[in-house]
């Protein structure tokens, strides 16, 4: 008889409840992420950016998990839809959004400083990268606490073979990595029940001997606490953890998608459940953590920040092509060095 793998116990410091200040900070982050997300869709329609992958309805899953990252030692490996994680980790958002403007592949932010890897457009592509980095941590810190990798992917990407390889390798090697699945109900146009047998990605973890948590992805506090527990488990040498955040993609898969072709507005309304931002607001009001004046100010600050980001995006010029030679290899090959020299010389004479 087999037993379900369990998370290691979390010490008291790692399990301390969020303070009122932290709860208000989480709401502020969710507010700016919501406003930036809806604004980015409008920017695409206005021609400011050529494409964007919305995350409407997933703010709690992204902000709650990103808020748990220790930016002094952990590393996040995103897909193309983790804008909320990026904002929670305090990235330069103009640099982050430069990818959506197609200004520069991977974004103009510094991955090493931000601890946020370049945006990954290949489905499940970031999963293998995360496991490789995490395994490097176990090799570099065999006798002490390690940094933890967290990789994001969706319920659709969970069916990729790369995910099987990554989970199996991580489990065998006890790599400190959190597999964070945002199950938003749709793999583009295919509902979860039509492409995930049993409907649960977290249930697959047992087959690899990995403990798993399935959490309400619309509850930002629950997501934060689950992610914090998973990080503590990984950091202490216990191997990987799977988190499945159950949420709902309220908008299209991307600005090139028409969700009306595969679901009705009535189905969307019924299936989406309670809005995570409104839900958290009601909790803070009920618990006396914040008042209406706080929420009004949070919205005002969100609008101000997003306007600054919009102006920064519009001011972005084309990137000098020679930069490509410094971002692929740590030590460029002689052929690349020769090409880079020729490029610069040609650019100087244009």
């Amino acid at each position: 008889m087999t037993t379900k793998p369990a998370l290691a116990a979390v010490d008291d410091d790692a399990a301390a409840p969020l303070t009122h200040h932290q709860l208000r900070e989480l709401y502020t982050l969710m507010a700016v992420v919501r406003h930036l997300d809806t604004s980015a869709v409008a920017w695409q329609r206005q021609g400011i950016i050529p494409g964007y992958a919305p995350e409407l309805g997933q703010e709690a899953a992204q902000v709650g998990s990103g808020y748990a990252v220790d930016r002094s030692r952990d590393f996040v490996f995103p897909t193309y839809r983790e804008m909320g994680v990026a904002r929670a980790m305090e990235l330069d958002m103009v640099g982050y959004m430069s990818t959506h403007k197609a200004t520069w592949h991977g974004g103009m932010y510094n991955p090493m400083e931000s601890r946020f890897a370049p945006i990954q457009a290949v489905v499940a592509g970031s999963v293998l990268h995360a496991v490789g980095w995490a395994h490097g941590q176990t090799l570099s810190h065999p006798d002490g606490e390690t940094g933890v990798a967290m990789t994001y992917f969706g319920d659709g990407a969970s069916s990729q073979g790369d995910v099987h390889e990554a989970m199996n390798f991580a489990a065998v090697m006890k790599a400190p990595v959190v597999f964070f699945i945002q199950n938003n109900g749709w793999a583009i146009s295919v509902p979860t029940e039509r492409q995930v047998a049993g409907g649960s990605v977290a249930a697959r973890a047992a087959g690899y001997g990995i403990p798993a948590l399935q959490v309400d992805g619309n509850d930002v506090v629950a997501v934060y606490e689950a992610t914090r527990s998973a990080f503590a488990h990984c950091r202490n040498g216990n191997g990987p953890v799977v988190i499945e955040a159950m949420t709902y993609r309220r908008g299209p898969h991307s600005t090139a998608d028409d969700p009306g072709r595969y679901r009705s507005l009535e189905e969307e309304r019924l299936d989406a459940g309670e809005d995570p931002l409104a839900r958290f607001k009601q909790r803070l009001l009920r618990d006396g953590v914040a008042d209406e004046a706080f929420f009004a100010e949070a919205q005002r600050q969100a609008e101000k920040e997003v306007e600054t980001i919009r102006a920064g995006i519009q001011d972005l010029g084309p990137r000098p092509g020679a930069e490509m030679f410094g971002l692929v290899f740590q030590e460029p090959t002689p052929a690349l060095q020769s090409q880079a020299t020729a490029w610069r010389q040609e650019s100087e004479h244009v």
Side-chain angles (χ1 to χ4, degrees):
M1 179 179 178
T2 58
T3 57
K4 184 179 179 180
L7 259 65
V10 179
D11 61 44
D12 292 339
D13 289 338
L18 288 163
T19 65
H20 285 192
H21 170 76
Q22 290 173 314
L23 291 169
R24 288 190 293 268
E25 190 170 41
L26 282 172
Y27 182 87
T28 300
L29 286 168
M30 289 177 64
V32 72
V33 167
R34 168 66 62 86
H35 191 58
L36 178 55
D37 182 68
T38 55
S39 296
V41 174
W43 297 342
Q44 191 276 332
R45 307 306 191 217
Q46 296 162 12
I48 296 175
I49 56 177
Y52 179 70
E55 61 177 66
L56 184 65
Q58 298 178 224
E59 297 89 356
Q62 296 204 5
V63 169
S65 56
Y67 195 72
V69 176
D70 181 343
R71 297 193 300 276
S72 70
R73 52 181 171 174
D74 301 329
F75 219 110
V76 164
F77 294 81
T79 71
Y80 44 78
R81 202 187 302 277
E82 271 67 64
M83 183 271 287
V85 182
R87 180 59 187 85
M89 292 178 62
E90 300 183 356
L91 262 71
D92 166 20
M93 295 309 292
V94 173
Y96 173 86
M97 293 297 293
S98 68
T99 301
H100 296 291
K101 191 178 179 180
T103 303
W104 189 239
H105 178 69
M108 293 163 57
Y109 57 89
N110 186 319
M112 293 302 294
E113 290 179 0
S114 66
R115 313 300 286 178
F116 192 90
I119 294 171
Q120 175 63 261
V122 176
V123 177
S126 60
V127 180
L128 294 170
H129 298 168
V131 173
W133 184 89
H135 182 52
Q137 288 291 296
T138 63
L139 298 177
S140 301
H141 308 283
D143 301 319
E145 289 190 351
T146 67
V148 176
M150 180 156 59
T151 177
Y152 288 85
F153 54 103
D155 47 300
S158 72
S159 296
Q160 290 287 107
D162 287 356
V163 173
H164 161 76
E165 295 177 17
M167 287 188 177
N168 188 62
F169 184 92
V172 170
M173 306 306 294
K174 301 195 76 171
V177 55
V178 175
F179 297 97
F180 194 97
I181 300 109
Q182 292 177 88
N183 188 337
N184 64 18
W186 293 90
I188 305 183
S189 59
V190 180
T192 302
E193 60 269 19
R194 286 180 52 195
Q195 65 91 29
V196 176
S200 171
V201 181
R204 297 175 178 173
Y208 303 100
I210 300 176
L213 298 169
Q214 190 178 75
V215 64
D216 182 349
N218 293 333
D219 182 338
V220 66
V221 175
V223 171
Y224 168 77
E225 291 176 346
T227 309
R228 180 176 60 177
S229 295
F231 268 69
H233 176 95
C234 295
R235 206 180 303 287
N236 291 316
N238 299 303
V241 177
V242 168
I243 296 177
E244 184 179 21
M246 308 302 291
T247 181
Y248 192 84
R249 194 195 76 215
R250 292 170 176 260
H253 173 75
S254 73
T255 48
D257 175 39
D258 176 12
R261 298 177 63 184
Y262 49 84
R263 71 187 187 200
S264 69
L265 290 175
E266 181 64 13
E267 288 172 327
E268 183 177 313
R269 184 186 68 80
L270 292 174
D271 294 342
E274 190 176 0
D275 180 278
L277 195 63
R279 174 179 172 176
F280 193 40
K281 176 180 178 179
Q282 290 306 311
R283 173 177 175 171
L284 297 184
L285 284 170
R286 183 184 68 246
D287 294 346
V289 176
D291 56 19
E292 290 292 351
F294 164 79
F295 297 115
E297 178 62 17
Q299 182 61 26
R300 190 187 71 80
Q301 290 296 332
E303 293 171 0
K304 180 180 179 181
E305 179 176 330
V306 170
E307 177 58 26
T308 300
I309 295 169
R310 183 197 62 78
I313 293 170
Q314 290 188 298
D315 287 344
L316 289 174
R319 302 293 288 173
E323 287 192 357
M324 75 175 75
F325 299 106
L327 293 178
V328 179
F329 299 94
Q330 183 173 355
E331 297 180 5
T333 64
L336 279 176
Q337 290 176 337
S338 176
Q339 290 178 47
T341 300
W343 185 295
R344 293 189 182 95
Q345 290 175 344
E346 181 178 340
S347 299
E348 289 172 357
H349 289 91
V350 172

